[in-house]
Amino acid sequence: MIQISGLKYVPNYLSKENCEFLLKAIYDNEWMSELSRRVQHYGYKYDYRSRAIDMTMKGRPFPNWAILLTQRLKKDGYIKDLADQLIVNEYLSGQGIANHIDCEPCFGDTIASISLGSSCIMNFVEKNSKNKVELLLEPCSLLVLSGQARYKWTHGINKRLYDQYKSEKLKRTTRVSLTFRKVILSTPI
């Protein structure tokens, strides 16, 4: 298997009880439906059309559970700076997201994402060589992208009802991802 520099995967980063608590807390909040999937933005809103973020795009403040998670991510050494932007994505069975690199001028050099609910396979494609790597994201796991994993590899999730992983056929159910980022705001000249 190809190793991706800057990619860290931590299975069982959260306990099952913590994951259940987070899902309940998340579903107690309002969702936005501007995409093909439902999302919640905290800290700053990201404009998907213009692929931009600025000072005027303030979202809801981080809830306590998100503050505790970003503090833990920093304490555990997975991020250097406390995240000030969180996007919560809900993926129903059969939904995915096209391969992409998180907006480079918008966000810092480390992206941390926690998976809740269903497992799924995330695809990584190296921009130049087109090498491909598949990674099973399990419930309660942490994925960290920095360096080459952040800037040289796209990541995405195919739209499908099942994932084939090794010799197992895994049925997808609803998955929720929590993606923590540090916003880079350009100051006007």
Side-chain angles (χ1 to χ4, degrees):
M1 178 169 155
I2 298 168
Q3 294 294 325
I4 301 176
S5 176
L7 184 149
K8 292 178 189 148
Y9 178 72
V10 183
N12 299 309
Y13 182 67
L14 299 178
S15 71
K16 185 177 177 186
E17 295 75 26
N18 283 343
C19 289
E20 289 170 2
F21 168 82
L22 287 171
L23 282 170
K24 182 180 178 337
I26 288 164
Y27 278 98
D28 283 345
N29 285 299
E30 274 186 57
W31 293 89
M32 297 179 351
S33 299
E34 61 193 48
L35 304 171
S36 61
R37 63 189 180 279
R38 296 193 312 168
V39 298
Q40 295 176 13
H41 290 267
Y42 296 97
Y44 289 90
K45 293 179 189 172
Y46 176 68
D47 186 332
Y48 295 96
R49 286 191 196 105
S50 66
R51 291 189 47 82
I53 200 163
D54 65 44
M55 290 287 286
T56 67
M57 301 170 80
K58 282 288 196 180
R60 292 181 274 186
F62 272 37
N64 286 339
W65 57 262
I67 293 168
L68 293 172
L69 278 174
T70 191
Q71 289 171 341
R72 178 177 172 190
L73 289 165
K74 183 174 180 187
K75 180 178 127 309
D76 292 346
Y78 292 112
I79 58 176
K80 289 183 282 189
D81 302 307
L82 291 175
D84 56 5
Q85 199 267 349
L86 166 63
I87 183 167
V88 178
N89 286 291
E90 178 192 56
Y91 298 93
L92 302 176
S93 180
Q95 288 184 317
I97 186 168
N99 269 55
H100 65 284
I101 292 175
D102 288 33
C103 180
E104 292 182 41
C106 304
F107 304 114
D109 62 358
T110 304
I111 309 291
S113 184
I114 294 173
S115 292
L116 307 172
S118 182
S119 63
C120 74
I121 289 180
M122 181 168 275
N123 304 301
F124 294 87
V125 179
E126 205 275 333
K127 288 192 316 188
N128 296 323
S129 69
K130 303 301 180 207
N131 283 328
K132 294 179 184 176
V133 173
E134 289 186 340
L135 176 65
L136 179 66
L137 301 180
E138 299 164 295
C140 307
S141 66
L142 168 67
L143 175 69
V144 181
L145 305 177
S146 63
Q148 288 187 17
R150 161 85 170 96
Y151 298 110
K152 305 261 186 225
W153 290 76
T154 65
H155 59 279
I157 299 168
N158 289 337
K159 295 178 182 182
R160 55 185 172 217
L161 300 174
Y162 293 88
D163 284 307
Q164 188 71 38
Y165 185 72
K166 298 185 178 177
S167 61
E168 271 188 90
K169 186 175 182 180
L170 305 171
K171 182 175 177 17
R172 283 198 200 162
T173 57
T174 299
R175 175 178 171 265
V176 173
S177 69
L178 313 175
T179 302
F180 293 88
R181 305 183 278 208
K182 179 70 176 167
V183 170
I184 299 171
L185 295 171
S186 37
T187 53
I189 299 176

